Coordinates of all heavy atoms in Angstrom, one line a residue:
K120 N -37.1 -8.0 -28.2 CA -35.9 -8.6 -27.7 C -34.7 -7.9 -28.3 O -33.5 -8.1 -27.9 CB -35.8 -10.1 -28.0 CG -36.7 -11.0 -27.3 CD -36.4 -12.5 -27.6 CE -37.0 -12.9 -28.9 NZ -37.0 -14.4 -29.1
H142 N -37.5 -10.6 -23.0 CA -36.5 -11.6 -23.3 C -37.2 -12.8 -24.0 O -36.5 -13.7 -24.4 CB -35.9 -12.2 -22.0 CG -34.9 -11.2 -21.4 ND1 -35.3 -10.3 -20.4 CD2 -33.7 -10.8 -21.7 CE1 -34.3 -9.5 -20.0 NE2 -33.3 -9.8 -20.9
G143 N -38.5 -12.7 -24.2 CA -39.2 -13.8 -24.9 C -40.7 -13.6 -24.9 O -41.1 -12.6 -24.3
S144 N -41.4 -14.4 -25.7 CA -42.9 -14.3 -25.8 C -43.3 -12.8 -26.1 O -44.3 -12.3 -25.5 CB -43.6 -14.8 -24.5 OG -43.2 -16.1 -24.3
V145 N -42.5 -12.2 -27.0 CA -42.7 -10.8 -27.3 C -44.1 -10.5 -27.8 O -44.7 -9.4 -27.6 CB -41.6 -10.4 -28.3 CG1 -41.8 -8.9 -28.8 CG2 -40.3 -10.5 -27.7
E146 N -44.7 -11.5 -28.5 CA -46.0 -11.4 -29.1 C -47.1 -11.0 -28.0 O -48.1 -10.5 -28.4 CB -46.5 -12.7 -29.8 CG -45.6 -13.1 -31.0 CD -44.3 -13.7 -30.6 OE1 -44.0 -14.0 -29.4 OE2 -43.5 -14.0 -31.6
D159 N -39.7 -8.3 -33.8 CA -39.3 -9.7 -33.4 C -38.9 -10.5 -34.6 O -39.2 -10.2 -35.8 CB -40.5 -10.3 -32.6 CG -40.0 -11.6 -31.9 OD1 -38.8 -11.7 -31.6 OD2 -40.9 -12.4 -31.5
L160 N -38.3 -11.7 -34.3 CA -37.9 -12.6 -35.4 C -39.1 -13.4 -35.9 O -40.0 -13.8 -35.1 CB -36.9 -13.6 -34.8 CG -35.5 -13.0 -34.4 CD1 -34.6 -14.1 -33.8 CD2 -34.8 -12.3 -35.6
V161 N -39.1 -13.5 -37.2 CA -40.1 -14.4 -37.8 C -39.4 -15.4 -38.7 O -38.5 -15.1 -39.4 CB -41.0 -13.5 -38.7 CG1 -42.1 -14.3 -39.4 CG2 -41.6 -12.3 -38.0
S162 N -39.9 -16.7 -38.5 CA -39.3 -17.7 -39.3 C -40.3 -18.3 -40.1 O -40.5 -18.0 -41.3 CB -38.6 -18.8 -38.3 OG -38.0 -19.8 -39.1
T163 N -41.2 -19.2 -39.6 CA -42.3 -19.8 -40.3 C -43.4 -18.8 -40.4 O -44.3 -19.0 -41.2 CB -42.8 -21.1 -39.7 OG1 -43.2 -20.8 -38.3 CG2 -41.7 -22.1 -39.6
G164 N -43.6 -17.9 -39.4 CA -44.7 -17.0 -39.3 C -45.8 -17.6 -38.5 O -46.9 -17.0 -38.2
N165 N -45.6 -18.9 -38.0 CA -46.7 -19.5 -37.2 C -47.0 -18.8 -35.9 O -48.2 -18.7 -35.5 CB -46.3 -20.9 -36.9 CG -46.4 -21.8 -38.1 OD1 -47.0 -21.5 -39.1 ND2 -45.6 -23.0 -38.1
T166 N -46.0 -18.3 -35.2 CA -46.3 -17.6 -34.0 C -47.1 -16.4 -34.2 O -48.1 -16.1 -33.4 CB -44.9 -17.3 -33.2 OG1 -44.1 -18.5 -33.2 CG2 -45.2 -16.8 -31.8
Ligands
PRP1 C1 -38.8 -16.8 -31.8 C2 -39.3 -15.5 -32.1 C3 -40.8 -15.7 -32.4 C4 -40.7 -17.1 -33.0 C5 -40.9 -17.0 -34.5 O1 -39.1 -17.1 -30.4 O2 -39.0 -14.5 -31.1 O3 -41.5 -15.7 -31.2 O4 -39.5 -17.7 -32.6 O5 -40.8 -18.3 -35.1 P1 -42.0 -18.7 -36.1 O6 -42.1 -17.5 -37.1 O7 -41.4 -19.9 -36.8 O8 -43.2 -19.0 -35.4 P2 -38.5 -18.3 -29.7 O9 -39.1 -19.6 -30.2 O10 -37.0 -18.2 -29.7 O11 -39.1 -18.1 -28.2 P3 -39.2 -16.9 -27.3 O12 -40.4 -16.1 -27.7 O13 -39.3 -17.4 -25.9 O14 -37.9 -16.1 -27.4

Side-chain angles (χ1 to χ4, degrees):
K120 288 188 280 196
H142 292 98
S144 302
V145 175
E146 294 81 3
D159 197 19
L160 295 177
V161 182
S162 179
T163 61
N165 288 339
T166 311

